[in-house]
Amino acid sequence: MIARRAIAPLHHPLNRFAVTGGALRRVLVDLLTDSGRAVPTFVVGDDDQSIYSWRGSDAHIFRIFLDRYKNANLVRLEQNYRCSRAILDAANAVIAQNENRIEKTLFTENADGDAIRLSDYRDAEAEADAVAAEIGHCIAQGESPGQIAILYRKNAFSRLLEHALLRQHIPYRIYGGTAFYSRKEIKDALAYLRLVHDRSDDEAFVRAVAVPPKGMGTKSLDALAAVAKEQSLSLYEAAQQTQPSQKLRDFLTQIASWTQRYRESGLGDLVRTVVQESGLRDYYIAKEKEKGEERAENLEELQTAACIFHHEYRMGETGNRSLAHKPGDPLSEFLTEAVLDADGAAAASDNTPTVQLMSVHKAKGLEFDRVFVVALEAGEFPSAKAAETPDGLEEERRLFYVAMTRARKHLHLSFAHYRLRFGGDSLGGRTEPSRFLDEIPEQLLDSECLQDGRAMSARQRRGRVAHDLSHEVDVW
């Protein structure tokens, strides 16, 4: 009875049909067939923007729907009111490479607009610095920061961009997310590092024993705090004076071991060891699954941050007067920079127009006058895992299509030839440009990455800077 009342009207609009979860879709289809009698239904959606397969959405649902209901009338809404003609033509060319889609070609009556700017950089740091410098120039020319967005495939990529924007004094906000050094897993890892740096940091001790759990609940911590207060000790010192559990004893031994490792091997090796041996990575993956994978990527980025910082510090390239608790100590300096970056990210007022940083998934439905899409490298965009299957690759291409069509007037695409990254025990470095860049027609790109008037292929672009990479940066 409830179902019949729900489908009583003559027409039933189903908006965003392609992003509806599979189970719910089946229920809706069953309701709308009304025991075999088709009920007039109006389905709305865009299979080219189906980017949530990991949530159960299915880009093929429209084709399935059309196959099942042969008399359905397909209406293509192909006029685009957002993008310039150059941006839309490029996006059309990219998405046309997908075989499993309903064929359509968007058009616009907007002006041609600027050519798409494609830039390559020696490394990820240079990319972030250049993007920040360009944004600073645009703002100086009168553009509103609120009409500028930086998009990336993985949230971990925000760190370098945040740091570069802070150095340029450009206000920014992580749309629908948290600044890198304010993310829970990063603060958890920093708590371990703070204890290595200073055993008297009770706040760090409390956070570190909580994640992963070390068998200390509220009562145990209260009892330990009472001992510490009575004997004028830190929580770490008080724990050494008591009879700790095996988990807590192992934790205390770890801190001592990491301290010795830091003295012998330096900052980069310390952070890598803490991330691997603390159990944080496995803890979050087991606890939060999809979100846990993202947290693991952020922990890997923290290792990258420490290695790069240590290298720049040794080379005298940090450029700031020391505010560290222990000036001259790399760990102390690194922890201080993390605090300063977190404070800088939180400084923007809610009423201040800010540059928006976000993952491409978060960007769906939004639009900006100027958009930067960064880290367009093989293994990153498309992601290595997704590119293993035809459906996965097509979804990554849809994601890139969504990224491109967030821009109204100006679209900047960029990649780095070297990106330091960690994954388990492996260290990545040299990169290759994303295959999607080769799918953009040559005439729609500006001259920055052109060779003899022709767009360079991914192979040619790799060769262009190969000699610059013959001596890789020592980050250890």
Side-chain angles (χ1 to χ4, degrees):
M1 180 63 71
I2 295 176
R4 291 183 181 278
R5 289 180 180 176
I7 62 174
L10 180 62
H11 291 86
H12 302 276
L14 295 181
N15 192 20
R16 302 178 70 192
F17 193 48
V19 299
T20 306
L24 178 57
R25 254 193 329 266
R26 286 190 294 274
V27 171
L28 289 171
V29 170
D30 288 343
L31 284 173
L32 296 171
T33 55
D34 191 25
S35 301
R37 180 176 59 84
V39 175
T41 305
F42 188 75
V43 174
V44 181
D46 184 0
D47 59 333
D48 287 338
Q49 296 192 56
S50 178
I51 57 174
Y52 295 103
S53 63
W54 42 279
R55 288 184 181 173
S57 69
D58 184 358
H60 307 308
I61 188 62
F62 284 103
R63 296 172 66 92
I64 295 171
F65 188 90
L66 291 171
D67 288 342
R68 180 167 180 177
Y69 304 107
K70 302 296 185 181
N71 294 328
N73 182 28
L74 176 62
V75 179
R76 294 176 173 87
L77 303 178
E78 296 180 296
Q79 183 167 3
N80 178 286
Y81 297 92
R82 173 190 300 154
C83 304
S84 71
R85 188 172 291 114
I87 293 171
L88 191 60
D89 286 350
N92 280 335
V94 170
I95 200 63
Q97 303 299 314
N98 275 2
E99 296 181 0
N100 297 307
R101 61 186 289 264
I102 296 176
E103 186 177 349
K104 50 192 169 297
T105 301
L106 302 191
F107 70 93
T108 183
E109 296 179 356
N110 295 339
D112 289 345
D114 294 342
I116 296 167
R117 185 172 178 182
L118 174 62
S119 306
D120 63 329
Y121 300 97
R122 184 185 187 280
D123 54 40
E125 293 72 38
E127 179 187 44
D129 289 343
V131 168
E134 178 66 19
I135 290 174
H137 174 74
C138 293
I139 293 173
Q141 296 298 311
E143 292 188 31
S144 169
Q147 283 301 320
I148 301 174
I150 308 175
L151 309 184
Y152 34 76
R153 178 64 180 83
K154 297 193 304 191
N155 282 314
F157 288 146
S158 76
R159 181 192 65 84
L160 281 173
L161 296 159
E162 292 181 58
H163 190 63
L165 291 169
L166 285 171
R167 284 195 303 228
Q168 294 278 347
H169 306 290
I170 297 172
Y172 73 89
R173 184 169 288 111
I174 306 292
Y175 179 84
T178 308
F180 183 81
Y181 284 109
S182 297
R183 293 169 190 168
K184 186 179 185 304
E185 63 278 10
I186 299 302
K187 293 168 75 172
D188 289 339
L190 291 177
Y192 286 89
L193 297 175
R194 286 163 55 190
L195 270 182
V196 170
H197 172 253
D198 181 6
R199 299 285 202 283
S200 65
D201 191 335
D202 287 349
E203 183 181 279
F205 180 91
V206 171
R207 188 170 194 117
V209 297
V211 184
K214 309 293 189 302
M216 292 201 73
T218 303
K219 289 184 178 180
S220 299
L221 278 173
D222 288 345
L224 187 62
V227 173
K229 182 177 181 180
E230 181 181 344
Q231 299 184 28
S232 299
L233 300 172
S234 68
L235 290 177
Y236 183 93
E237 292 169 327
Q240 290 180 310
Q241 303 297 322
T242 62
Q243 297 295 322
S245 66
Q246 185 61 49
K247 283 187 177 180
L248 184 56
R249 188 180 303 115
D250 292 343
F251 167 71
L252 299 175
T253 301
Q254 268 188 329
I255 297 298
S257 172
W258 293 339
T259 302
Q260 184 61 32
R261 191 176 192 104
Y262 172 57
R263 291 171 183 158
E264 295 174 352
S265 304
L267 177 63
D269 194 51
L270 168 67
V271 177
R272 183 173 60 157
T273 302
V274 168
V275 169
Q276 291 177 354
E277 296 183 359
S278 65
L280 284 171
R281 188 179 185 280
D282 292 340
Y283 169 78
Y284 276 118
I285 290 176
K287 181 182 178 184
E288 302 186 26
K289 297 182 174 60
E290 277 175 13
K291 185 67 175 177
E293 293 284 355
E294 180 181 310
R295 294 194 189 277
E297 290 173 350
N298 287 329
L299 290 170
E300 291 164 8
E301 182 63 20
L302 182 66
Q303 299 174 66
T304 301
C307 288
I308 292 172
F309 178 86
H310 196 190
H311 169 74
E312 292 179 344
Y313 185 77
R314 287 188 304 176
M315 300 296 291
E317 297 174 356
T318 51
N320 297 320
R321 180 174 60 87
S322 177
L323 300 174
H325 177 60
K326 298 178 181 178
D329 175 65
L331 176 56
S332 186
E333 299 283 1
F334 177 67
L335 291 171
T336 300
E337 179 173 276
V339 171
L340 293 175
D341 278 10
D343 289 347
S349 166
D350 289 339
N351 298 321
T352 303
T354 59
V355 175
Q356 302 292 304
L357 277 67
M358 68 194 78
S359 70
V360 182
H361 283 100
K362 290 285 187 183
K364 186 178 177 184
L366 303 179
E367 55 186 72
F368 305 88
D369 285 347
R370 187 178 297 273
V371 171
F372 294 79
V373 187
V374 300
L376 288 169
E377 296 132 22
E380 302 295 358
F381 204 161
S383 71
K385 184 176 181 180
E388 292 175 355
T389 64
D391 281 350
L393 180 59
E394 291 208 348
E395 175 145 340
E396 290 290 295
R397 188 176 282 111
R398 291 193 294 271
L399 192 60
F400 184 49
Y401 172 82
V402 167
M404 297 174 74
T405 54
R406 298 312 93 196
R408 296 192 192 100
K409 302 175 181 178
H410 312 284
L411 177 60
H412 302 248
L413 308 176
S414 62
F415 63 93
H417 291 272
Y418 187 96
R419 186 176 300 275
L420 184 65
R421 56 187 183 270
F422 291 81
D425 294 325
S426 64
L427 170 66
R430 297 187 185 188
T431 65
E432 298 181 2
S434 169
R435 64 196 297 167
F436 297 151
L437 297 177
D438 288 331
E439 298 171 0
I440 300 174
E442 299 171 7
Q443 68 272 18
L444 299 177
L445 299 172
D446 73 2
S447 61
E448 184 162 345
C449 269
L450 299 184
Q451 178 175 286
D452 298 327
R454 296 171 55 196
M456 290 190 293
S457 68
R459 183 180 300 277
Q460 288 172 313
R461 284 193 294 265
R462 289 196 295 273
R464 175 179 169 181
V465 296
H467 66 282
D468 292 332
L469 296 172
S470 58
H471 179 66
E472 295 181 354
V473 177
D474 172 20
V475 295
W476 297 103

